[in-house]
Amino acid sequence: FRTEGGLKIDDNTMRMVTAFGGGMGHARAVCGALVGSVMIISYFVGRTSPQEKPLPEVYPYSKEYHDLFVKECKDLMPYEFNTREHLINCLKLVNRMGKFLAEYLESKGFLK
């Protein structure tokens, strides 16, 4: 799978994120779109070993994005989970947040 921005996501990664929907498999815990977004941010700022960089260089990006995401998705919260209204608005949110994530990554200079 390749995103519009050219990020290549392999089959194993796609497999790993399958159950994120519905707040982690419909547990309604943490929004899968947020978790997936943080995974993408980590692709750009993460590390492969503790020696590569300290976590204080990584965490601010996910915290900042989390706060922006929560502010942006507040319109989904009034709907009863798994109702037609919730599902319709959730799909709209996921589509909107894909663009929102791309804009965030671009603003940080990760997408050129």
Side-chain angles (χ1 to χ4, degrees):
F1 178 82
R2 188 176 295 276
T3 66
E4 284 184 31
L7 177 64
K8 185 177 182 310
I9 301 172
D10 67 34
D11 290 344
N12 289 326
T13 302
M14 289 299 287
R15 187 174 287 112
M16 288 184 340
V17 301
T18 300
F20 284 5
M24 302 296 124
H26 277 204
R28 197 176 183 190
V30 177
C31 177
L34 173 58
V35 174
S37 294
V38 171
M39 286 180 66
I40 298 294
I41 292 167
S42 291
Y43 172 84
F44 291 101
V45 300
R47 64 185 193 180
T48 58
S49 73
Q51 296 76 28
E52 187 177 342
K53 66 173 83 167
L55 289 175
E57 290 181 21
V58 177
Y59 286 169
Y61 292 100
S62 57
K63 172 68 169 105
E64 178 183 41
Y65 188 80
H66 167 272
D67 294 348
L68 293 168
F69 186 97
V70 168
K71 193 171 157 184
E72 195 61 27
C73 75
K74 66 185 177 291
D75 59 340
L76 182 62
M77 301 310 169
Y79 300 104
E80 177 77 25
F81 184 72
N82 236 12
T83 62
R84 177 174 164 69
E85 293 81 15
H86 177 269
L87 294 172
I88 288 169
N89 284 285
C90 185
L91 289 173
K92 288 178 185 177
L93 170 73
V94 169
N95 285 331
R96 189 171 80 228
M97 295 318 288
K99 182 178 180 194
F100 187 76
L101 174 60
E103 290 168 354
Y104 177 81
L105 294 171
E106 191 172 62
S107 76
K108 298 300 177 186
F110 299 131
L111 301 179
K112 302 199 185 320

